[in-house]
Amino acid sequence: MKLLSNQPIGIFDSGAGGLTVASAVGHLLPEEKIIYFGDTAHLPYGEKSVEAIKYYSIKISDFLLKQNCKVILIACNTASAAAYKTVKKHIGNKAIVLDVINPATEFVARNDKFKKIGVIGTKGTIKSNTYTRKISEINPLKNVVSLAAPLLVPMIEEGFIYDEISNAIIDKYLSNSRLKNIDSLILACTHYPIIKNQIRKFYNFKTHVIDSSHVVAKKLKKVLAERKLLNNNENPEHDFFVSDYTDFFKTLAEMFFDDEINISELNIFR
Ligand code: DGL
């Protein structure tokens, strides 16, 4: 199917976390229109079964396709681990399907700076072992250790950020002996960049904290350029959809996208 440069970019996540990716895309590709879907009604994905995540991901991808998107970017590590292949197969050549894990693992595996790499993510992402597998497929010499940090997503979605509660939880997870002596830490959940500076502070700014949103945005730009699909829309207006309206989503979306934005609540799962 022929894709056109003036079609929008579809991005989805279980909630507000994918806004970190959407924001990086918005900065790197300011001429692209973004249509964002946050599945706040089913958050957190990290606790759901693979089958449930595949089901939600297909429904959301169909919705983004109906919105005429040329790209469907899965801005959620848990959904990338559980449903990337399924969504890609389902969408076929009707849109370009990208995930957040492939660009991040390629970046880390090919960079000599990183030797002992820590990965933190949701239960679903860590249980899938996708990061460790993909990094060692590219570079078997890397030492990868991983840890599920399931409280971080609800903590962030509840607005516990940069306070004593979030400090205590972050401290508890990052002090885990599994993560001892790492030289780098991948934030394998798109919610975590929101607390990136707190995490960097835990390590006294000495460990590389890898926020993959910029790597993902660069990959998107490369793919669009290769396929001659880069847009040149002067002032695109983005659209935001959520399956359950939350004030936190609005606050965060406004924080990332500066101006007043339109958020619509929509149940696409009926
Ligand atoms: N932000 C998502 C991720 O990258 C999902 C978090 C969740 O819903 O559990 O994994």
Side-chain angles (χ1 to χ4, degrees):
M1 200 166 137
K2 179 135 175 62
L3 300 172
L4 300 170
S5 56
N6 62 0
Q7 290 178 258
I9 296 190
I11 301 181
F12 80 87
D13 177 49
S14 58
L19 289 168
T20 57
V21 179
S23 157
V25 169
H27 280 109
L28 193 68
L29 299 165
E31 295 172 334
E32 301 288 337
K33 175 183 169 77
I34 296 172
I35 299 187
Y36 185 93
F37 190 93
D39 191 9
T40 38
H42 296 120
L43 177 120
Y45 276 13
E47 310 292 311
K48 301 281 188 302
S49 68
V50 168
E51 284 317 307
I53 296 167
K54 282 183 181 169
Y55 176 80
Y56 304 145
S57 301
I58 285 196
K59 287 275 182 195
I60 301 167
S61 301
D62 281 343
F63 167 74
L64 294 173
L65 210 56
K66 268 202 205 115
Q67 302 293 310
N68 198 29
C69 293
K70 62 185 169 193
V71 172
I72 294 171
L73 170 54
I74 310 176
C76 171
N77 286 268
T78 316
S80 295
Y84 173 59
K85 275 195 194 149
T86 308
V87 171
K88 215 170 151 54
K89 193 164 168 221
H90 177 74
I91 297 299
N93 65 359
K94 291 191 263 284
I96 299 167
V97 178
L98 295 175
D99 74 330
V100 286
I101 299 184
N102 281 309
T105 48
E106 279 161 23
F107 170 75
V108 169
R110 299 212 160 94
N111 196 320
D112 290 341
K113 264 199 305 224
F114 313 131
K115 297 203 164 46
K116 184 165 181 190
I117 304 153
V119 182
I120 53 169
T122 65
K123 278 188 199 164
T125 300
I126 300 305
K127 213 172 124 205
S128 77
N129 207 31
T130 314
Y131 271 87
T132 311
R133 186 170 39 80
K134 291 208 174 218
I135 293 171
S136 26
E137 268 166 21
I138 303 171
N139 187 342
L141 297 176
K142 299 282 187 194
N143 181 0
V144 186
V145 289
S146 56
L147 182 78
L151 276 181
L152 296 184
V153 170
M155 175 193 98
I156 294 167
E157 289 275 338
E158 285 298 324
F160 292 111
I161 296 168
Y162 295 94
D163 61 10
E164 66 280 15
I165 294 176
S166 52
N167 265 333
I169 297 174
I170 289 169
D171 205 86
K172 181 78 189 161
Y173 282 130
L174 299 184
S175 307
N176 190 297
S177 59
R178 290 186 67 80
L179 299 178
K180 217 171 157 198
N181 297 329
I182 53 170
D183 53 47
S184 44
L185 179 73
I186 305 181
L187 305 183
C189 172
T190 52
H191 280 72
Y192 301 171
I194 296 166
I195 51 166
K196 184 176 168 183
N197 279 334
Q198 251 179 304
I199 293 177
R200 291 181 65 221
K201 195 155 167 244
F202 172 87
Y203 290 110
N204 286 324
F205 303 94
K206 287 196 179 108
T207 298
H208 296 278
V209 176
I210 302 159
D211 157 4
S212 55
S213 50
H214 303 288
V215 183
V216 172
K218 271 195 202 154
K219 168 84 180 189
L220 170 63
K221 186 174 181 180
K222 187 167 174 266
V223 171
L224 289 177
E226 277 166 6
R227 307 241 336 220
K228 301 205 171 17
L229 285 173
L230 283 167
N231 203 353
N232 57 1
N233 189 340
E234 284 257 308
N235 245 331
E237 265 194 35
H238 308 314
D239 291 327
F240 297 84
F241 296 91
V242 286
S243 46
D244 189 24
Y245 182 86
T246 62
D247 285 335
F248 180 67
F249 185 92
K250 185 171 190 284
T251 309
L252 218 62
E254 283 176 355
M255 191 180 100
F256 280 120
F257 286 87
D258 299 332
D259 33 31
E260 279 287 302
I261 54 159
N262 274 333
I263 304 174
S264 315
E265 189 181 80
L266 197 66
N267 186 348
I268 57 165
F269 301 98
R270 268 194 270 264

